[in-house]
Amino acid sequence: MKTILKSILSGIVLVISTSLPHAEPSKPEASAPKRDSKQETRLEWWREAKFGLFIHWGLYSVAAGEYNGKLIPKTGEWIMWNAKIPFKEYEKFATGLTASKFDADAWAQLAQDAGMKYLCITAKHHDGFAMYPSKISSYNLTERSPFKRDPIEELSAACAKRGIKFCLYYSQAIDWEDRNGMGNTWDFGPEAGRNFDEYLEKKSLPQVKEILTKYKPVSMIWFDLPRGMTKERANKFAEAVRQIQPDCIISGRLGPGRYNDYDSTGDNSPPKEVRQGDWETPATLNHTWGYKKQDNDWKTPEQLTFWLVDIVSKGGNYLLNVGPTAEGVIPRQSVDALRGVGRWMKVNGEAIYGAKATAFGNEFGNPSDTEKDGRGKPKYQVNRDWRCTTKPGKIYIHIFNWKAKLELPAVKEKITGAQLLADKSAKVEVHQTATGVSLTLPEKAPGEIASVLCLELQK
Ligand code: JFZ
């Protein structure tokens, strides 16, 4: 009786709230969909993959960090918001999106050369511009730019050819082109007066359905910044994904509650220690996602390899970004950095793909004895000497700071063999006791960046 009353009441609330265009959503909210039985299967490839390529490409790539002769600070893909560019001005960038050098095979090949197993490109970012021929909104690349091909389709095919999982990013809530989307207050006034549901029903949800129908398979969809999303609203997106492509992983931030199949850490900030569950750290090569000509502070292959190993040793995946130019060129420095990681991956990939977190856990760092942080607490100092990843019957030690004598914490299982991946014939001596493992290694590191030692364990 109570439940019947409750559903009638919530029905009334629903009727009232949908008839008032600007009312807040109905309460009580629907709960997030159950994590269905297919989730484990869906995540199999992703748990094996570990390393992916993120691509931010859109009208902001044409602006390239500059507006009206001024260099605009902060991330490039947010330039419209950062500089409060009126829509009527921003949309003009479309004519500059020539994509004259766009080569889907080159991009997918770069991902492969870097050792990456998935690729995720912006189908539509916060600026609202669709990077594919959309029938839902004419604010798209084929209708507005000189480029008449479909880069999303071409990339999907280029990835399929190479066994790279193809994925799409879609900004479901923030949309600076649409007066009912979230975010653009300089053109459309305060957000409070909008019909956000109309935006979701007329543009966002139909475009999500459109890309999932047009491009198959989409192995993962990365939703972002759930401004204004409620569980009811998010449910509709989750249901659409499940209905059109049940095997598509949902990631990022669809709405409040857990819709996603895995978690995203903050950008550029991996956890300090091992973190349970499925998660990914999205990161930039410089300090922007979308191309910005003034940002030339690139991470080196050494730094990137450290991040990759560090993240995998804590149990996560690494989604590393490039920002191509308006011509469709991935900056040379990005290409070189990724190829550097790729050379390391060629030798040491077996210690990354499908690998799980460390067998230890106290190698990540320590509070400093002398230095204090901003709050007066001992400053956390990252230890970069080595990291550890594991597979059944194997422990991999990634040695960044090479020493001929290396001391490891105790290993429970009996170590039955030891090999350096970069030189399998090199001599390695193992002395194992109940309190630790002492290793005697060659004087010189056999590999570049980090030489990986594989310890075999008794089954
Ligand atoms: C979002 C976007 O706003 C940004 O433009 C880019 O696409 C990035 C990958 O995702 O930015 C975020 C979202 C969440 C966090 C950080 C940046 N976070 O949770 O730390």
Side-chain angles (χ1 to χ4, degrees):
M1 187 59 199
K2 248 192 188 156
T3 51
I4 296 173
L5 199 69
K6 228 171 144 186
S7 65
I8 293 172
L9 276 177
S10 66
I12 294 170
V13 176
L14 192 81
V15 170
I16 295 171
S17 69
T18 47
S19 60
L20 298 170
H22 311 316
E24 270 309 294
S26 61
K27 303 252 156 94
E29 290 185 329
S31 57
K34 279 228 175 70
R35 300 168 64 72
D36 57 306
S37 59
K38 289 193 85 181
Q39 188 183 45
E40 286 296 307
T41 334
R42 208 158 51 228
L43 282 167
E44 264 168 28
W45 71 262
W46 182 87
R47 287 177 179 154
E48 179 71 26
K50 290 290 160 189
F51 193 24
L53 182 67
F54 217 169
I55 304 177
H56 279 68
W57 197 36
L59 292 188
Y60 42 81
S61 318
V62 182
E66 182 183 326
Y67 179 59
N68 267 349
K70 281 205 197 86
L71 297 179
I72 308 299
K74 302 193 198 158
T75 56
E77 75 288 353
W78 274 76
I79 192 167
M80 183 175 175
W81 195 89
N82 287 332
K84 299 292 176 290
I85 305 176
F87 176 73
K88 285 283 158 235
E89 290 298 312
Y90 188 82
E91 67 175 346
K92 292 181 191 160
F93 285 124
T95 56
L97 192 60
T98 66
S100 56
K101 295 185 179 152
F102 172 71
D103 178 349
D105 279 295
W107 290 12
Q109 189 58 45
L110 174 64
Q112 189 163 51
D113 290 347
M116 292 158 155
K117 300 288 188 185
Y118 56 116
L119 180 155
C120 181
I121 181 160
T122 45
K124 187 206 86 173
H125 204 266
H126 306 330
D127 64 2
F129 189 75
M131 289 298 285
Y132 66 96
S134 173
K135 294 210 168 74
I136 309 298
S137 160
S138 64
Y139 194 46
N140 73 61
L141 154 124
T142 18
E143 291 195 42
R144 299 293 189 95
S145 85
F147 191 64
K148 300 302 172 198
R149 287 158 33 202
D150 179 353
I152 304 294
E153 175 64 47
E154 290 181 27
L155 268 173
S156 161
C159 285
K161 247 194 262 174
R162 293 166 177 82
I164 292 172
K165 298 285 183 184
F166 182 69
C167 315
L168 292 172
Y169 170 108
Y170 189 89
S171 169
Q172 79 278 23
I174 296 183
D175 190 315
W176 301 321
E177 177 244 351
D178 195 295
R179 59 180 58 253
N180 286 316
M182 288 293 175
N184 184 343
T185 49
W186 57 100
D187 281 305
F188 308 127
E191 281 176 348
R194 327 186 162 188
N195 191 341
F196 184 48
D197 282 308
E198 187 170 307
Y199 165 71
L200 296 181
E201 296 300 332
K202 293 229 166 100
K203 183 172 178 184
S204 180
L205 190 55
Q207 280 196 330
V208 167
K209 290 179 180 166
E210 182 178 49
I211 55 181
L212 291 170
T213 310
K214 241 170 124 57
Y215 310 107
K216 285 188 172 167
V218 173
S219 295
M220 179 264 281
I221 183 160
W222 219 96
F223 291 109
D224 205 1
L225 297 194
R227 210 179 152 69
M229 295 298 285
T230 57
K231 285 181 182 168
E232 280 90 351
R233 287 164 176 161
N235 270 335
K236 293 189 182 169
F237 286 78
E239 275 163 19
V241 177
R242 288 291 152 264
Q243 205 194 339
I244 304 171
Q245 292 204 41
D247 297 330
C248 177
I249 293 173
I250 297 180
S251 115
R253 314 148 173 116
L254 175 53
R258 284 217 60 180
Y259 292 89
N260 50 333
D261 289 308
Y262 66 80
D263 289 330
S264 191
T265 69
D267 56 335
N268 290 307
S269 49
K272 277 208 183 95
E273 290 176 355
V274 172
R275 177 170 159 175
Q276 301 304 320
D278 299 299
W279 57 272
E280 174 186 76
T281 295
T284 49
L285 277 171
N286 45 2
H287 303 277
T288 179
W289 304 90
Y291 177 67
K292 235 178 119 178
K293 61 188 167 198
Q294 66 268 42
D295 185 343
N296 280 295
D297 185 21
W298 304 98
K299 295 186 183 95
T300 63
E302 287 76 15
Q303 290 170 315
L304 297 168
T305 305
F306 182 78
W307 277 61
L308 171 64
V309 173
D310 183 60
I311 287 167
V312 176
S313 83
K314 290 166 179 171
N317 278 26
Y318 190 26
L319 184 60
L320 187 53
N321 182 74
V322 294
T325 65
E327 289 186 313
V329 174
I330 297 176
R332 164 67 29 207
Q333 299 93 326
S334 302
V335 172
D336 290 347
L338 292 182
R339 293 229 169 100
V341 180
R343 276 192 296 277
W344 184 87
M345 283 292 273
K346 260 218 159 62
V347 179
N348 303 293
E350 71 158 269
I352 297 292
Y353 301 124
K356 302 270 187 257
T358 177
F360 311 110
N362 49 6
E363 68 271 34
F364 299 123
N366 290 302
S368 162
D369 292 335
T370 49
E371 282 183 70
K372 305 256 185 262
D373 66 13
R375 286 173 295 164
K377 298 233 170 80
K379 194 171 165 190
Y380 185 82
Q381 285 185 320
V382 179
N383 186 340
R384 295 169 192 276
D385 288 350
W386 55 271
R387 288 290 181 269
C388 168
T389 59
T390 56
K391 278 190 179 173
K394 281 179 180 162
I395 290 180
Y396 296 96
I397 309 294
H398 305 243
I399 308 164
F400 287 88
N401 184 9
W402 185 263
K403 288 184 196 121
K405 297 267 182 208
L406 186 68
E407 301 291 328
L408 298 178
V411 172
K412 270 188 276 144
E413 300 87 345
K414 186 172 157 43
I415 298 169
T416 55
Q419 253 188 354
L420 286 157
L421 298 187
D423 179 2
K424 296 197 170 157
S425 64
K427 197 170 152 221
V428 177
E429 277 175 45
V430 182
H431 182 67
Q432 185 177 20
T433 69
T435 55
V437 180
S438 306
L439 298 161
T440 309
L441 305 167
E443 277 303 317
K444 235 184 121 267
E448 279 175 54
I449 305 179
S451 298
V452 178
L453 176 69
C454 173
L455 300 174
E456 275 155 45
L457 309 175
Q458 196 166 53
K459 297 251 160 75

